[in-house]
Short mmCIF file of all heavy atoms in Angstrom, two decimals:
data_model
loop_
_atom_site.label_atom_id
_atom_site.label_comp_id
_atom_site.label_asym_id
_atom_site.label_seq_id
_atom_site.Cartn_x
_atom_site.Cartn_y
_atom_site.Cartn_z
N TYR A 283 10.37 -23.48 1.50
CA TYR A 283 11.00 -23.53 0.18
C TYR A 283 11.58 -22.16 -0.18
O TYR A 283 11.05 -21.43 -1.00
CB TYR A 283 9.97 -23.99 -0.88
CG TYR A 283 9.28 -25.26 -0.49
CD1 TYR A 283 7.97 -25.25 0.03
CD2 TYR A 283 9.94 -26.48 -0.58
CE1 TYR A 283 7.35 -26.42 0.43
CE2 TYR A 283 9.32 -27.65 -0.18
CZ TYR A 283 8.03 -27.63 0.33
OH TYR A 283 7.43 -28.79 0.72
N PRO A 284 12.69 -21.82 0.47
CA PRO A 284 13.26 -20.48 0.25
C PRO A 284 13.75 -20.29 -1.17
O PRO A 284 14.12 -21.25 -1.86
CB PRO A 284 14.42 -20.43 1.24
CG PRO A 284 14.81 -21.87 1.43
CD PRO A 284 13.52 -22.63 1.37
N VAL A 285 13.76 -19.05 -1.61
CA VAL A 285 14.30 -18.71 -2.93
C VAL A 285 15.78 -19.06 -2.94
O VAL A 285 16.52 -18.76 -2.00
CB VAL A 285 14.08 -17.21 -3.25
CG1 VAL A 285 14.76 -16.84 -4.56
CG2 VAL A 285 12.58 -16.90 -3.32
N LEU A 286 16.23 -19.71 -4.01
CA LEU A 286 17.62 -20.12 -4.14
C LEU A 286 18.55 -18.91 -4.04
O LEU A 286 18.30 -17.88 -4.65
CB LEU A 286 17.81 -20.83 -5.49
CG LEU A 286 19.24 -21.26 -5.85
CD1 LEU A 286 19.74 -22.32 -4.87
CD2 LEU A 286 19.29 -21.77 -7.28
N CYS A 287 19.61 -19.06 -3.27
CA CYS A 287 20.65 -18.03 -3.08
C CYS A 287 20.12 -16.75 -2.45
O CYS A 287 20.67 -15.67 -2.69
CB CYS A 287 21.36 -17.73 -4.40
SG CYS A 287 22.29 -19.12 -5.06
N ASP A 288 19.08 -16.87 -1.64
CA ASP A 288 18.59 -15.73 -0.87
C ASP A 288 19.28 -15.76 0.49
O ASP A 288 18.85 -16.45 1.41
CB ASP A 288 17.07 -15.81 -0.71
CG ASP A 288 16.48 -14.59 -0.01
OD1 ASP A 288 17.27 -13.78 0.55
OD2 ASP A 288 15.26 -14.44 -0.02
N LYS A 289 20.37 -15.02 0.60
CA LYS A 289 21.17 -15.07 1.82
C LYS A 289 20.37 -14.63 3.04
O LYS A 289 20.51 -15.20 4.13
CB LYS A 289 22.41 -14.20 1.66
CG LYS A 289 23.35 -14.24 2.86
CD LYS A 289 24.58 -13.39 2.64
CE LYS A 289 25.52 -13.45 3.84
NZ LYS A 289 26.74 -12.62 3.62
N LEU A 290 19.52 -13.63 2.88
CA LEU A 290 18.81 -13.06 4.02
C LEU A 290 17.81 -14.04 4.61
O LEU A 290 17.67 -14.14 5.83
CB LEU A 290 18.09 -11.78 3.59
CG LEU A 290 17.62 -10.84 4.70
CD1 LEU A 290 18.77 -10.41 5.59
CD2 LEU A 290 16.92 -9.63 4.09
N TYR A 291 17.13 -14.81 3.77
CA TYR A 291 16.10 -15.71 4.26
C TYR A 291 16.44 -17.19 4.07
O TYR A 291 15.95 -18.04 4.82
CB TYR A 291 14.76 -15.40 3.58
CG TYR A 291 14.25 -14.02 3.92
CD1 TYR A 291 14.42 -12.96 3.04
CD2 TYR A 291 13.65 -13.77 5.15
CE1 TYR A 291 13.98 -11.68 3.36
CE2 TYR A 291 13.21 -12.49 5.48
CZ TYR A 291 13.37 -11.46 4.59
OH TYR A 291 12.95 -10.19 4.91
N GLY A 292 17.26 -17.51 3.08
CA GLY A 292 17.60 -18.90 2.82
C GLY A 292 18.93 -19.34 3.39
O GLY A 292 19.25 -20.53 3.39
N GLY A 293 19.75 -18.38 3.85
CA GLY A 293 20.98 -18.72 4.52
C GLY A 293 22.20 -18.88 3.64
O GLY A 293 23.29 -19.13 4.15
N ARG A 294 22.07 -18.75 2.33
CA ARG A 294 23.23 -18.85 1.45
C ARG A 294 23.06 -17.91 0.28
O ARG A 294 21.94 -17.65 -0.16
CB ARG A 294 23.44 -20.28 0.95
CG ARG A 294 22.30 -20.83 0.11
CD ARG A 294 22.61 -22.22 -0.41
NE ARG A 294 23.83 -22.21 -1.20
CZ ARG A 294 24.57 -23.29 -1.44
NH1 ARG A 294 24.22 -24.44 -0.90
NH2 ARG A 294 25.64 -23.21 -2.17
N SER A 295 24.19 -17.40 -0.25
CA SER A 295 24.10 -16.37 -1.26
C SER A 295 24.62 -16.79 -2.62
O SER A 295 24.59 -16.00 -3.57
CB SER A 295 24.89 -15.12 -0.80
OG SER A 295 26.26 -15.46 -0.61
N LYS A 296 25.13 -18.03 -2.75
CA LYS A 296 25.67 -18.45 -4.04
C LYS A 296 25.59 -19.97 -4.17
O LYS A 296 25.45 -20.69 -3.18
CB LYS A 296 27.12 -17.99 -4.18
CG LYS A 296 28.06 -18.53 -3.11
CD LYS A 296 29.44 -17.92 -3.24
CE LYS A 296 30.37 -18.44 -2.13
NZ LYS A 296 31.71 -17.83 -2.21
N ILE A 297 25.71 -20.42 -5.42
CA ILE A 297 25.75 -21.86 -5.70
C ILE A 297 26.71 -22.08 -6.86
O ILE A 297 26.80 -21.25 -7.77
CB ILE A 297 24.35 -22.43 -6.00
CG1 ILE A 297 24.38 -23.95 -6.01
CG2 ILE A 297 23.79 -21.89 -7.32
CD1 ILE A 297 22.99 -24.59 -5.98
#
Side-chain angles (χ1 to χ4, degrees):
Y283 308 103
V285 175
L286 177 64
C287 295
D288 185 348
K289 183 178 181 180
L290 196 57
Y291 296 100
R294 62 177 302 158
S295 61
K296 59 186 178 181
I297 191 167

